């Protein structure tokens, strides 16, 4: 049973969080919320995965709900119009499937297939309407996502989103090369790469259509707003590293903060886990301080004008959802079948992926 009944807020059912992954401050100080559209969201994203042929029907039936992809987005973009949340959730599901294709292309040495996919995604990002019927279902579904996401805010937002996602595609290509050659990045190099492969800027950009307002540069680049956004994303990326470490060691991964700490800082595996936890806990503490500064900034935007009130409300909505990201990410990692490696027949091969010749003609 899922932890959430329909509603905007709820108390999750008891979930056993391993001590090494438990963060009492998240459970106490970051109340969990869920968008009221979630039940419909889950149903429609499941249908979209089938229609776009992103997962075989049997895998959608057996695994889609248990992967909790819609739960993650419905816990983050609170207040988003239903159609915005649906587009984001479908795009997020696509992102996970793309991540799995990338992994399988590496595992099976499909360099040509990956190179072709990378070029086609770059092209679809710039002209999605021309790729809606692409022969590769992953490209066609991506184009569909982009057409929908590009419809909510002005072209300036679209151009920014595209610029940010081009960088994500290129970062995935760097990961492909690193894994192919067994290169474990040094810690600082890894952290910079992780900000791209985790798509920090993308999830932050999507706060704006959720709030119904494109934020001007002067607002987005304000130090408190920018820092709060970064900290929410850093937490998510590092907590993902902590939770996915067994999965990634089993799959001969080289991209994980814990793995970089062991390889380049001389830490034991246990020491690396402790260091990743320390960084995560510092991230949470700093967010709580920065959040207060950012709220004061949001309040100051309300100068009595219609535009000032709109910007202040939009920034407050974005900050609330940055906070929601902490709890949504935390519980996702303990509910999603994506990280339950101990239940897999083969710890290096997720049961929900298409492990055949995906991406090949």
């Amino acid at each position: 049973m899922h932890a959430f009944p329909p509603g905007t807020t709820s108390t999750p059912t008891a979930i056993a969080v391993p001590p090494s992954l438990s963060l009492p401050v998240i459970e106490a100080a970051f109340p969990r919320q869920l968008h009221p559209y979630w039940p419909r969201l889950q149903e429609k994203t499941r249908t979209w995965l089938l229609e776009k042929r992103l997962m075989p029907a049997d895998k959608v039936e057996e695994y889609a709900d248990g992967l909790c992809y819609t739960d993650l987005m419905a816990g983050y973009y609170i207040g988003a119009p239903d159609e915005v949340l649906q587009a984001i959730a479908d795009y997020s599901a696509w992102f996970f499937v793309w991540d799995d294709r990338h992994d399988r292309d590496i595992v099976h040495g499909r360099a040509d297939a990956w190179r072709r996919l990378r070029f086609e995604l770059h092209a679809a990002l710039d002209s999605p309407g021309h790729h809606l019927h692409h022969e590769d279902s992953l490209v066609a579904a991506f184009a569909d996502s982009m057409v929908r996401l590009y419809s909510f805010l002005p072209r300036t937002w679209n151009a920014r989103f595209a610029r940010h996602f081009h960088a994500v595609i290129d970062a995935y290509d760097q990961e492909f090369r690193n894994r192919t050659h067994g290169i474990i990045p040094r810690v600082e190099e890894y952290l910079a790469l992780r900000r791209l492969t985790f798509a920090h800027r993308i999830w932050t950009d999507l706060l704006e259509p959720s709030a119904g307002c494109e934020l001007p540069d002067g607002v987005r680049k304000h130090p408190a707003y920018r820092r709060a956004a970064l900290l929410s994303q850093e937490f998510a990326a590092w907590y993902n590293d902590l939770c996915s470490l067994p999965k990634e060691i089993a799959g001969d991964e080289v991209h994980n903060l814990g793995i970089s700490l062991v390889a380049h800082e001389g830490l034991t595996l246990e020491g690396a886990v402790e260091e990743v936890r320390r960084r995560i806990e510092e991230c949470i503490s700093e967010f709580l301080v920065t959040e207060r500064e950012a709220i004061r900034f949001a309040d100051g935007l309300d100068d009595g004008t219609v535009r000032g009130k709109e910007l202040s409300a939009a920034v407050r909505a974005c900050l609330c959802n940055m906070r929601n990201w902490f709890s949504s990410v935390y519980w996702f990692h303990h509910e999603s079948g994506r990280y339950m490696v101990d239940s897999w027949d083969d710890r290096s091969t997720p049961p929900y992926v298409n492990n055949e010749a995906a991406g090949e003609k």
Side-chain angles (χ1 to χ4, degrees):
M1 179 179 290
H2 282 275
F4 283 113
T8 56
T9 64
S10 66
T11 301
T13 56
I15 297 169
V17 179
S20 63
L21 303 177
S22 176
L23 295 172
V25 65
I26 296 295
E27 299 179 28
F30 292 81
R32 194 177 185 188
Q33 298 191 73
L34 190 72
H35 198 290
Y37 181 64
W38 171 74
R40 183 71 172 139
L41 182 74
Q42 185 184 56
E43 176 188 339
K44 292 190 72 172
T45 294
R46 190 191 315 123
T47 299
W48 188 78
L49 287 168
L50 283 170
E51 289 177 349
K52 297 303 176 183
R53 298 178 293 113
L54 288 176
M55 292 174 68
D58 60 331
K59 292 189 182 294
V60 171
E61 176 67 25
E62 186 172 358
Y63 297 109
D65 289 356
L67 289 169
C68 300
Y69 296 159
T70 55
D71 305 48
L72 178 64
M73 294 298 109
Y76 185 20
Y77 297 102
I78 305 296
D82 292 354
E83 66 273 17
V84 173
L85 183 61
Q86 188 66 63
I88 292 173
D90 290 349
Y91 165 72
S92 172
W94 172 87
F95 201 115
F96 280 111
V97 174
W98 176 50
D99 186 74
D100 293 333
R101 169 83 73 85
H102 177 259
D103 176 71
R104 294 297 95 185
D105 280 349
I106 293 168
V107 169
H108 296 297
R110 297 193 290 250
D112 289 343
W114 165 249
R115 185 180 306 109
R116 183 166 57 248
L117 176 61
R118 175 168 56 95
F119 290 148
E120 289 166 349
L121 290 178
H122 276 304
L125 185 56
D126 289 333
S127 56
H130 296 149
H131 294 78
L132 291 171
H133 304 290
H134 196 280
E135 62 182 2
D136 187 332
S137 58
L138 198 69
V139 177
F142 176 66
D144 178 78
S145 292
M146 290 305 99
V147 167
R148 293 157 66 196
L149 290 176
Y150 286 168
S151 71
F152 300 122
L153 291 178
R155 291 183 178 181
T156 45
W157 183 91
N158 297 347
R160 180 184 2 129
F161 184 95
R163 183 171 67 253
H164 290 164
F165 201 73
H166 279 304
V168 172
I169 297 169
D170 288 340
Y172 262 69
D173 188 50
Q174 181 62 53
E175 279 207 350
F176 192 101
R177 294 194 298 272
N178 286 351
R179 285 184 63 186
T180 298
H181 296 96
I183 299 171
I184 300 175
R186 293 188 175 277
V187 172
E188 291 307 315
E189 179 187 358
Y190 168 74
L191 293 175
L193 182 63
R194 184 64 164 144
R195 291 182 184 115
L196 292 170
T197 57
F198 196 82
H200 281 23
R201 289 180 172 177
I202 295 302
W203 307 119
T204 301
D205 286 339
L206 289 169
L207 292 169
E208 294 170 56
S210 298
C213 179
E214 180 185 19
L215 300 179
D217 283 355
V219 172
R220 289 188 302 104
K221 294 181 180 179
H222 184 276
Y225 182 89
R226 200 167 193 168
R227 186 64 182 163
L230 176 62
L231 289 167
S232 74
Q233 294 297 317
E234 296 278 51
F235 164 80
W238 298 347
Y239 193 67
N240 175 267
D241 278 6
L242 188 65
C243 294
S244 63
L245 188 56
K247 169 178 176 274
E248 293 179 344
I249 289 175
D252 292 325
E253 250 285 9
V254 297
H255 298 103
N256 185 292
L257 179 54
I259 292 173
S260 288
L261 287 166
V262 169
H264 297 295
E265 302 294 327
L267 274 63
T268 63
L269 183 57
E270 293 76 11
V273 168
E274 289 178 5
E275 172 62 14
V276 175
R277 276 191 63 97
R278 185 191 66 78
R279 290 174 183 242
I280 289 169
E281 289 165 355
E282 282 191 356
C283 186
I284 298 167
S285 298
E286 187 179 347
F287 176 82
L288 291 171
V289 173
T290 305
E291 179 186 39
R292 292 194 290 271
E293 298 173 7
I295 289 173
R296 287 194 293 272
F297 166 63
D299 289 345
L301 291 171
D302 185 355
D303 57 5
T305 66
V306 172
R307 177 59 170 164
K309 288 180 182 295
E310 178 189 54
L311 279 178
S312 178
V315 170
R316 272 188 162 273
C318 292
L319 291 171
C320 283
N321 281 334
M322 290 176 198
R323 163 176 274 274
N324 287 332
W325 192 225
F326 284 83
S327 59
S328 191
V329 164
Y330 181 76
W331 292 111
F332 168 70
H333 281 86
H334 303 298
E335 295 171 352
S336 173
R338 193 172 179 86
Y339 305 101
M340 297 179 182
V341 295
D342 290 337
S343 68
W344 301 355
D345 291 336
D346 177 355
R347 290 171 63 90
S348 67
T349 305
Y352 49 82
V353 302
N354 180 357
N355 198 40
E356 306 303 322
E360 296 287 13
K361 293 183 177 179

